[in-house]
Amino acid sequence: SKNRDQQLQETAFCQSRGAGPVVQGLKLSETKRVALSGRLEKFERDQNVVEEHAVGTDLFFVLRGRAKIITYGDGGEEQGHEEIGSGKFFGEMAFVTKERRSATVRAMESLKVIRIGEVPQERIRRRHPRIAEKIFYNIAQLLSERLRRTTHRE
């Protein structure tokens, strides 16, 4: 039943704080609107959700499970990875810049995500500009913090 699936999606998203910092400052009703704009998807262990250099602008929120974000060196060797789990998100760089994916994201176990594609993104921007503005602001803050941490490490 579609309605029950939507309720579960909305509840899981809000309970896991699946978007955490991305939806900071939004009302609960606005957070639910974001959750319901996406599509619930499942990935099995070792399945790639996105691949480095692939075209795509979808934003993903992890509801359950763990994944690793992998980058590769010039020779194709794995250079390192970061693990993410419930309550985390990925795809924000391509979401904002509309450029190719900067990393591969692979399920480490059964993984459940909400995928917000380009059409729902555009619909939110058009119909709910305040929500879109807040999401973009939050993502810009997160990317800025990540850049600052990366710069200070080197």
Side-chain angles (χ1 to χ4, degrees):
S1 62
K2 181 121 171 114
N3 209 11
R4 177 147 170 70
D5 285 347
Q6 285 181 331
Q7 278 183 316
L8 289 171
Q9 178 175 335
E10 173 186 300
T11 302
F13 185 76
C14 294
Q15 284 178 344
S16 75
R17 309 222 186 290
V22 174
V23 295
Q24 188 175 338
L26 293 182
K27 298 174 189 161
L28 182 58
S29 62
E30 293 171 326
T31 301
K32 288 178 180 181
R33 189 176 305 278
V34 171
L36 292 175
S37 72
R39 191 170 68 232
L40 194 59
E41 292 188 5
K42 296 175 187 170
F43 296 88
E44 297 306 316
R45 179 188 173 105
D46 294 326
Q47 188 177 358
N48 287 348
V49 181
V50 298
E51 294 188 20
E52 187 174 17
H53 306 302
V55 175
T57 59
D58 296 356
L59 183 60
F60 298 83
F61 298 102
V62 179
L63 296 180
R64 190 172 16 195
R66 291 180 311 130
K68 60 181 174 179
I69 301 172
I70 307 163
T71 55
Y72 296 94
D74 293 335
E77 73 283 357
E78 202 174 296
Q79 286 214 294
H81 70 274
E82 172 187 346
E83 290 185 20
I84 58 171
S86 180
K88 300 296 181 184
F89 59 93
F90 59 92
E92 70 282 359
M93 288 174 63
F95 174 81
V96 171
T97 66
K98 309 294 184 218
E99 293 178 3
R100 293 179 181 272
R101 299 282 180 190
S102 62
T104 294
V105 178
R106 182 174 301 139
M108 297 174 68
E109 60 191 30
S110 180
L111 184 71
K112 189 180 280 188
V113 300
I114 291 180
R115 173 195 294 247
I116 300 181
E118 201 161 355
V119 171
Q121 291 172 31
E122 189 53 41
R123 192 175 308 123
I124 289 172
R125 275 196 289 270
R126 240 186 6 263
R127 295 183 186 166
H128 308 282
R130 183 185 122 45
I131 294 174
E133 177 186 331
K134 197 69 182 165
I135 289 171
F136 273 97
Y137 174 80
N138 290 340
I139 289 173
Q141 292 284 102
L142 294 163
L143 291 173
S144 175
E145 288 170 22
R146 188 180 304 154
L147 179 60
R148 191 175 307 115
R149 280 195 314 270
T150 304
T151 304
H152 286 22
R153 245 189 302 177
E154 295 171 1

Short mmCIF file of all heavy atoms in Angstrom, two decimals, residues 5 29 31 56-57 60 62 65 68 85 91 100 126 137 139 149:
data_model
loop_
_atom_site.label_atom_id
_atom_site.label_comp_id
_atom_site.label_asym_id
_atom_site.label_seq_id
_atom_site.Cartn_x
_atom_site.Cartn_y
_atom_site.Cartn_z
N ASP A 5 3.51 2.89 2.85
CA ASP A 5 4.93 3.05 2.52
C ASP A 5 5.37 4.50 2.72
O ASP A 5 6.45 4.76 3.23
CB ASP A 5 5.23 2.62 1.09
CG ASP A 5 5.21 1.10 0.93
OD1 ASP A 5 5.21 0.39 1.97
OD2 ASP A 5 5.19 0.64 -0.21
N SER A 29 6.79 19.73 9.56
CA SER A 29 5.95 19.56 8.36
C SER A 29 6.79 19.74 7.08
O SER A 29 6.57 19.06 6.09
CB SER A 29 4.78 20.54 8.37
OG SER A 29 5.25 21.88 8.35
N THR A 31 10.08 19.16 6.90
CA THR A 31 10.97 18.00 6.84
C THR A 31 10.22 16.82 6.24
O THR A 31 10.76 16.08 5.41
CB THR A 31 11.50 17.65 8.25
OG1 THR A 31 12.21 18.78 8.75
CG2 THR A 31 12.43 16.46 8.21
N GLY A 56 24.99 12.56 -12.35
CA GLY A 56 23.85 12.39 -11.46
C GLY A 56 23.80 13.53 -10.46
O GLY A 56 24.82 14.03 -10.02
N THR A 57 22.59 13.94 -10.12
CA THR A 57 22.43 15.05 -9.17
C THR A 57 21.54 14.67 -7.99
O THR A 57 21.17 15.52 -7.20
CB THR A 57 21.81 16.27 -9.87
OG1 THR A 57 20.54 15.88 -10.42
CG2 THR A 57 22.70 16.80 -10.98
N PHE A 60 20.95 11.70 -1.47
CA PHE A 60 20.56 10.47 -0.78
C PHE A 60 20.63 10.67 0.73
O PHE A 60 21.59 11.26 1.23
CB PHE A 60 21.51 9.32 -1.14
CG PHE A 60 21.49 8.95 -2.59
CD1 PHE A 60 22.26 9.65 -3.51
CD2 PHE A 60 20.72 7.88 -3.04
CE1 PHE A 60 22.25 9.30 -4.84
CE2 PHE A 60 20.72 7.53 -4.37
CZ PHE A 60 21.48 8.24 -5.28
N VAL A 62 20.47 8.32 4.23
CA VAL A 62 20.54 6.94 4.72
C VAL A 62 19.55 6.77 5.88
O VAL A 62 19.66 7.45 6.90
CB VAL A 62 21.97 6.59 5.20
CG1 VAL A 62 22.02 5.15 5.73
CG2 VAL A 62 22.99 6.78 4.08
N GLY A 65 21.29 1.05 7.68
CA GLY A 65 22.43 0.37 7.09
C GLY A 65 23.66 1.27 7.04
O GLY A 65 23.64 2.39 7.53
N LYS A 68 30.04 2.88 2.35
CA LYS A 68 31.34 3.55 2.37
C LYS A 68 31.47 4.43 1.14
O LYS A 68 31.00 4.09 0.06
CB LYS A 68 32.49 2.57 2.51
CG LYS A 68 32.66 1.55 1.44
CD LYS A 68 33.85 0.65 1.78
CE LYS A 68 33.97 -0.50 0.81
NZ LYS A 68 35.11 -1.36 1.12
N GLY A 85 26.43 6.00 8.01
CA GLY A 85 25.32 5.15 8.42
C GLY A 85 24.04 5.94 8.56
O GLY A 85 23.92 7.07 8.07
N GLY A 91 25.87 12.71 -1.77
CA GLY A 91 25.44 13.21 -3.08
C GLY A 91 25.27 14.71 -3.10
O GLY A 91 24.87 15.29 -4.11
N ARG A 100 29.86 15.85 -12.27
CA ARG A 100 29.96 14.39 -12.09
C ARG A 100 30.25 14.03 -10.65
O ARG A 100 30.80 14.82 -9.90
CB ARG A 100 31.05 13.83 -13.01
CG ARG A 100 30.67 13.96 -14.48
CD ARG A 100 31.78 13.41 -15.37
NE ARG A 100 31.41 13.57 -16.76
CZ ARG A 100 30.70 12.68 -17.46
NH1 ARG A 100 30.30 11.56 -16.88
NH2 ARG A 100 30.40 12.89 -18.71
N ARG A 126 10.52 25.27 -6.81
CA ARG A 126 9.44 26.08 -7.38
C ARG A 126 8.32 26.34 -6.38
O ARG A 126 7.86 27.46 -6.21
CB ARG A 126 8.87 25.38 -8.61
CG ARG A 126 8.97 26.16 -9.87
CD ARG A 126 8.30 25.55 -11.10
NE ARG A 126 7.51 24.35 -10.92
CZ ARG A 126 7.96 23.10 -11.14
NH1 ARG A 126 9.19 22.89 -11.53
NH2 ARG A 126 7.18 22.07 -10.98
N TYR A 137 21.39 26.43 1.82
CA TYR A 137 22.21 27.12 2.81
C TYR A 137 22.90 26.11 3.73
O TYR A 137 24.10 26.20 3.98
CB TYR A 137 21.35 28.09 3.64
CG TYR A 137 22.12 28.73 4.76
CD1 TYR A 137 22.95 29.82 4.52
CD2 TYR A 137 22.03 28.24 6.06
CE1 TYR A 137 23.68 30.40 5.55
CE2 TYR A 137 22.75 28.83 7.09
CZ TYR A 137 23.58 29.90 6.82
OH TYR A 137 24.30 30.47 7.83
N ILE A 139 23.55 22.92 3.16
CA ILE A 139 24.55 22.15 2.42
C ILE A 139 25.81 23.00 2.20
O ILE A 139 26.93 22.50 2.35
CB ILE A 139 23.98 21.62 1.08
CG1 ILE A 139 22.97 20.50 1.36
CG2 ILE A 139 25.09 21.12 0.16
CD1 ILE A 139 22.22 20.01 0.13
N ARG A 149 38.09 21.57 7.28
CA ARG A 149 38.75 20.42 7.94
C ARG A 149 39.82 19.82 7.02
O ARG A 149 40.91 19.50 7.47
CB ARG A 149 37.73 19.33 8.27
CG ARG A 149 36.93 19.60 9.53
CD ARG A 149 36.21 18.36 10.01
NE ARG A 149 35.52 17.62 8.99
CZ ARG A 149 34.25 17.82 8.63
NH1 ARG A 149 33.54 18.75 9.23
NH2 ARG A 149 33.68 17.09 7.70
#
